[in-house]
Each structure stands twice: as structure tokens, then as C-alpha cells.
Amino acid sequence: MKKILFSLYTCSLAAITYGGEANDWGYEANNAPEKWASLSEKYHACSGLNQSPIDIKNTTSAKLEPLKFNYTAKTQSIINNGHTVQVNFNDGNNLTLDGKEFVLKQFHLHSPSENKINGISYPMEMHLVHANAQGELAVVAIMYKKGENNKSLEQVWKNLPKQVGQDITLNEQVVAANFLPKKLDYYRFNGSLTTPPCTEGVRWIVLKNIQSASEAQLNAFTQLLSHPNNRPVQPVNARMILE
């Protein structure tokens, strides 16, 4: 049993740390999202009943605990893995959730947004991906709309790696706390990673406070990938969405 748990933990960490560098899945043609589950036995979970992203609607009112972020550590590197741009962090950024401590491993971006809120899709979505010592995962999602220039994103945009596989060490350090809105009201649901291996059992936190990014910033990311990198919304099935 311990070996199985260790294997699942290793698989999950590989997915969140390296953002799915495998080239056997993608967003277009024969390796598009609707085919992920059939591409490999490793991706069988992609056909599960508790998949992400979802359209957040028909929510249930609940007394959700306040989010407790302790983000003190800075960035390590930024990589273009062909599926997204991912910023990796040194240990030291923690989220306390359900009485457990989750460590921020990385954040990455999707355009357009993967999750929807009451049917609305946003130009971009950030996923801050956390893991605890038991290998459990928690993802905090932040939506971006077109508006004013975003100073926090500006730091990342200065170092956007243009080539697939390019990994840049960040000299100008990025503080994760700068990306969090002042108001931390949120939706919560049980889901999965939105890329293969589509591991389920992920705690999803989608912040209600929508952030702004300039048209130039949004275009810089979409042009870098040259194609959308959002998985379509998945059936909610029997899950509850809390707010």
C-alpha cells in the first residue's frame, strides 16, 4: 500500500512540477482534450467523473473557512513547456486549508480561462498549484479580464521564454503574494488536474475577485503559444460547488 501511495505521489508531483512536458497530448487535432483518456493508460483518469475545469453555477451556500496564505519565498525559474508558461517557486510559500499545509510549487496560465463562472469565460486564468506532504493537491485559480496593465504580471512578461523547452532563471524575483487579490472570497469544489494525467481528488479554490490585465499582456501570452490551451469544461455530475 505504501508503494502505491508513493507512486501516486510521485506521479502527481511530476504533473504539477513540470506541467506536463510530454508531447503525446495537446490541445489540437489527434491529441486534443477529448482524446486524452485514450492516448495512454496513464491518462485514463481523464475520463473520470470528477474532472476539471467546470462551469461554476448552481452553487450551494456554505460557511467556508478563510484562506490562509503565507507566501514569503520567491521564484526559481520560468519555463515554456509547449503547453503553457510555468513559473516555479522555491519552498516557503504555504496555504493552510482543511488544517493541512500545502506548499506552492508553481503557477501557470491558460488562455482563454478553463473554468467558467455562470457561463462566462475570461481571457486568461492563472493556476497556483500546491501540494502537501501526503501528495494531496490544491489549486487556487485567478481569473483575468481585459483592463488595466497588471504590474505583477509585468515582472513575468519581461522574461517570457520564447522557445519551447526554454528554462530561464529569474534574476528579478517574483513574489507570489503579489498575484493575490485583497478580497479572498472563493468558490470551492472537488476536481482534477486539467492536464494529463488528470489526477482527481484535487481541492479547487476559484477566487471570485477578477483581476485585470492589459490587452497587450493578454496578447503576448496567446501569441507565444499560438493556440488556445484551455481544456473544455467537464460535467459537474454529482459534485457540490460551495461558496
Side-chain angles (χ1 to χ4, degrees), residues 39-214:
L39 292 177
S40 168
E41 288 185 5
K42 297 181 296 183
Y43 306 157
H44 180 69
C46 296
S47 61
L49 296 176
N50 296 315
Q51 289 290 291
S52 298
I54 62 170
D55 188 355
I56 298 170
K57 56 185 179 181
N58 301 322
T59 59
T60 299
S61 296
K63 190 175 181 180
L64 297 175
E65 63 179 306
L67 297 175
K68 298 177 182 178
F69 291 97
N70 182 23
Y71 280 180
T72 57
K74 297 182 180 179
T75 45
Q76 185 181 83
S77 62
I78 181 170
I79 184 171
N80 177 343
N81 60 31
H83 301 303
T84 187
V85 167
Q86 176 175 303
V87 175
N88 299 317
F89 284 85
N90 294 308
D91 288 347
N93 296 310
N94 303 316
L95 164 65
T96 302
L97 189 63
D98 299 335
K100 300 180 179 182
E101 188 174 277
F102 292 82
V103 178
L104 176 65
K105 297 298 182 178
Q106 50 100 335
F107 76 65
H108 60 268
L109 301 160
H110 294 274
S111 180
S113 70
E114 296 201 299
N115 292 292
K116 295 181 179 181
I117 300 177
N118 292 317
I120 298 174
S121 173
Y122 291 87
M124 190 169 71
E125 180 175 352
M126 175 184 288
H127 291 165
L128 297 122
V129 186
H130 306 71
N132 66 14
Q134 290 72 45
E136 298 173 325
L137 306 178
V139 178
V140 176
I142 301 174
M143 301 293 187
Y144 289 85
K145 63 183 179 181
K146 186 169 71 173
E148 296 181 357
N149 190 66
N150 188 296
K151 292 183 179 179
S152 298
L153 288 176
E154 201 170 85
Q155 287 184 282
V156 177
W157 261 232
K158 290 178 182 177
N159 297 281
L160 283 178
K162 302 297 191 295
Q163 305 298 323
V164 174
Q166 187 177 8
D167 193 342
I168 298 173
T169 300
L170 291 170
N171 295 319
E172 184 180 353
Q173 294 294 294
V174 178
V175 180
N178 292 344
F179 295 96
L180 297 174
K182 292 181 180 179
K183 293 184 178 180
L184 296 173
D185 296 336
Y186 63 96
Y187 303 100
R188 177 168 180 174
F189 59 92
N190 180 46
S192 72
L193 296 176
T194 66
T195 60
C198 305
T199 308
E200 293 190 337
V202 177
R203 292 168 167 86
W204 271 89
I205 301 294
V206 178
L207 299 184
K208 293 184 178 182
N209 197 303
I210 311 302
Q211 301 301 287
S212 293
S214 69

